[in-house]
Amino acid sequence: MVNSISVLGSTGSIGTQTLDVAEKLHISVCALTAYSNIDLLEKQIRKFRPKLAVVFLEEQAQKLKERIKDTKTCVMSGMKGLISAAEIDSADIVLNALVGMVGLEPTLRAVEAKKNIALANKETLVAGGSLVMNAVTKNGVHLYPVDSEHSAVFQCLQGRPDEKSLKKIILTASGGPFFGKTKSELENVTLAQALNHPNWSMGAKITIDSATMMNKGLEIIEAYWLFGVDADQIDVVVHRESIVHSMIMYRDNSVIAQLGLPDMRIPIQYALTYPGRFESPTGELDLSQVENLSFSKPDYDTFKCMSLCKKALKIGGTAPAIVNGANETANRLFREDRIKFLQIGDLVENALENVAVTKADTLAQVLQADKSAREFVLSAVK
Ligand code: NAD
Ligand code: MG
């Protein structure tokens, strides 16, 4: 088990659940970061006494500095602050629970500082998968998945005899709040309806990604980088109950699944204690109480974001970064009530068709693709 962690995005859904796990396991916390929520961050600082606290917004960082004068915690801001939290000496693992591409550079810097990573921030791998995985290999660090599907696959893979024995990864998808709906039924869905996820309580961005099923598309790309399989070795099956968190099939067609109640504290904890198992705050799964476990094919046509992610993966280079950047922008515009639900997929599709794809060998190339995709979406909705 780790002794000390740095938590990037500590005020979010994954961040707060990480602190819950850390407290119960007596893991010390050496850095905390937030975008702007200094009320919650202050409470976290007083409880965990980290060396460093980062508030992305400079003005809020100044306010926090005043408020916590009586503590020994140092306050920083901006990307510089996030990078300091990622590289901090005392951490033996950095848990990245930031949302969006903003997590890419801190992840790379943490890896270069020889830190192991517990990664919830899937956008990092979607946009910069090759950069991150090359850096992980070069620096000899470990990257542990936190995303529940990928943690499930990681757990199922233990005991794999050799590289060739893995035939398929089968990611489960809840289907989100709009499962079974037709395109015309989706035309006028509201933000409140899209935010009403049936099984998971998560941050707003990923909740909308679950409604469009972009989340599953991003997870296909995430699985591709994490587990070194070909794109066509990754399948998706809709499983409404979110009890089976994902599966793998070996070449003898034996299927291994990981099950549990839908509670992110299990995968978070496993990323921090691997290969150990400890008691957890999560409830016990009682299958006799679960009436039914259902499985069905996803609707790739209505939920085209999934297909677009597959397409981007096949194209390669910066195509996944373009899809991700376009989606981050379209997702935000929908949450700001500036576009309709189905426009999210349309905008991502148009960005993939129109923004030039380049190699994704350097951080600068990935950041440029992300920027161009965002600009494309913004100009398309003007
Ligand atoms: P969230 O919105 O609840 O929290 C995000 C955190 O990042 C907050 O602490 C916020 O202050 C910080 N942040 C946001 N934008 C920032 C910026 N521009 N600069 C600096 N800090 C910023 O999100 P979440 O639901 O906890 O998700 C975090 C990541 O984990 C996402 O990539 C998501 O896809 C992934 N994930 C989440 C869940 C879940 O159950 N919530 C499950 C699987 C994967
Ligand atoms: Mg997931």
Side-chain angles (χ1 to χ4, degrees):
M1 196 192 327
V2 300
N3 288 313
S4 183
I5 55 171
S6 167
V7 185
L8 311 184
S10 65
T11 53
S13 162
I14 294 290
T16 51
Q17 295 180 84
T18 300
L19 293 180
D20 195 14
V21 169
E23 186 184 4
K24 293 204 164 72
L25 295 178
H26 306 290
I27 297 170
S28 82
V29 177
C30 56
L32 293 169
T33 88
Y35 181 70
S36 63
N37 184 350
I38 56 173
D39 291 342
L40 179 55
L41 190 59
E42 181 181 355
K43 283 189 192 133
Q44 295 178 341
I45 291 166
R46 297 198 179 279
K47 187 165 188 179
F48 291 96
R49 309 261 152 197
K51 269 193 190 162
L52 174 65
V54 178
V55 188
F56 198 80
L57 297 187
E58 168 66 25
E59 199 183 318
Q60 295 299 97
Q62 288 307 330
K63 279 190 197 154
L64 180 74
K65 217 180 246 180
E66 274 301 306
R67 283 201 203 171
I68 60 156
K69 261 187 185 158
D70 60 308
T71 72
K72 288 187 180 144
T73 301
C74 157
V75 179
M76 291 180 74
S77 66
M79 182 53 81
K80 195 171 165 215
L82 282 182
I83 289 171
S84 298
E87 293 177 334
I88 192 164
D89 266 352
S90 36
D92 26 53
I93 195 163
V94 174
L95 190 139
N96 184 346
L98 296 168
V99 59
M101 257 290 282
V102 70
L104 175 59
E105 203 176 342
T107 304
L108 288 169
R109 296 292 286 266
V111 171
E112 282 155 15
K114 311 269 188 240
K115 305 288 178 195
N116 290 330
I117 308 287
L119 190 71
N121 176 231
K122 64 191 83 186
E123 296 89 350
T124 276
L125 278 184
V126 172
S130 109
L131 285 178
V132 174
M133 296 318 285
N134 287 340
V136 163
T137 308
K138 189 173 148 208
N139 290 282
V141 301
H142 296 284
L143 194 159
Y144 300 112
V146 169
D147 211 347
S148 59
E149 295 78 2
H150 305 75
S151 174
V153 170
F154 179 62
Q155 295 182 53
C156 293
L157 280 171
Q158 277 155 53
R160 169 163 55 148
D162 60 63
E163 286 297 313
K164 283 190 197 143
S165 61
L166 176 64
K167 182 173 176 182
K168 249 190 221 180
I169 287 174
I170 305 161
L171 299 176
T172 52
S174 71
F178 302 140
F179 172 71
K181 292 229 183 299
T182 60
K183 258 186 211 160
S184 66
E185 287 170 331
L186 289 177
E187 213 140 276
N188 292 313
V189 292
T190 63
L191 177 60
Q193 288 169 323
L195 284 172
N196 187 22
H197 196 281
N199 305 341
W200 297 94
S201 156
M202 310 179 285
K205 192 261 178 184
I206 184 177
T207 306
I208 298 306
D209 283 346
S210 300
T212 58
M213 292 196 74
M214 170 55 96
N215 185 49
K216 211 47 56 180
L218 300 177
E219 289 184 353
I220 292 173
I221 303 175
E222 187 185 9
Y224 171 85
W225 289 113
L226 282 172
F227 304 114
V229 290
D230 290 338
D232 49 19
Q233 283 177 285
I234 307 167
D235 282 354
V236 174
V237 63
V238 175
H239 167 54
R240 296 292 285 155
E241 298 80 14
S242 298
I243 295 291
V244 176
H245 297 305
S246 278
M247 297 167 262
I248 62 166
M249 185 183 283
Y250 283 113
R251 67 177 153 184
D252 59 1
N253 293 341
S254 175
V255 177
I256 316 268
Q258 186 262 339
L259 284 74
L261 292 177
D263 187 323
M264 287 307 295
R265 290 173 301 180
I266 294 183
I268 291 169
Q269 176 164 312
Y270 195 60
L272 300 178
T273 64
Y274 171 83
R277 297 273 185 186
F278 294 83
E279 279 183 22
S280 103
T282 304
E284 204 177 288
L285 171 64
D286 179 354
L287 279 174
S288 68
Q289 296 288 315
V290 184
E291 278 187 10
N292 191 22
L293 293 181
S294 62
F295 301 94
S296 58
K297 274 203 171 143
D299 177 352
Y300 283 100
D301 188 37
T302 306
F303 297 93
K304 67 175 166 191
C305 288
M306 260 186 310
S307 320
L308 294 170
C309 287
K310 281 186 150 188
K311 189 173 170 190
L313 192 51
K314 289 238 157 91
I315 297 171
T318 51
I322 290 166
V323 160
N324 180 70
N327 177 61
E328 282 194 34
T329 308
N331 178 310
R332 176 174 56 79
L333 292 174
F334 175 69
R335 282 182 281 136
E336 291 170 353
D337 202 19
R338 289 164 64 186
I339 60 171
K340 291 177 123 187
F341 183 75
L342 288 176
Q343 277 182 280
I344 300 175
D346 294 343
L347 287 164
V348 172
E349 185 168 35
N350 291 343
L352 183 59
E353 271 166 19
N354 290 290
V355 178
V357 175
T358 67
K359 285 185 178 169
D361 297 340
T362 64
L363 180 62
Q365 287 169 330
V366 174
L367 294 178
Q368 181 56 50
D370 176 69
K371 187 166 172 259
S372 305
R374 285 168 198 264
E375 284 169 359
F376 177 87
V377 169
L378 288 175
S379 63
V381 295
K382 248 188 198 156

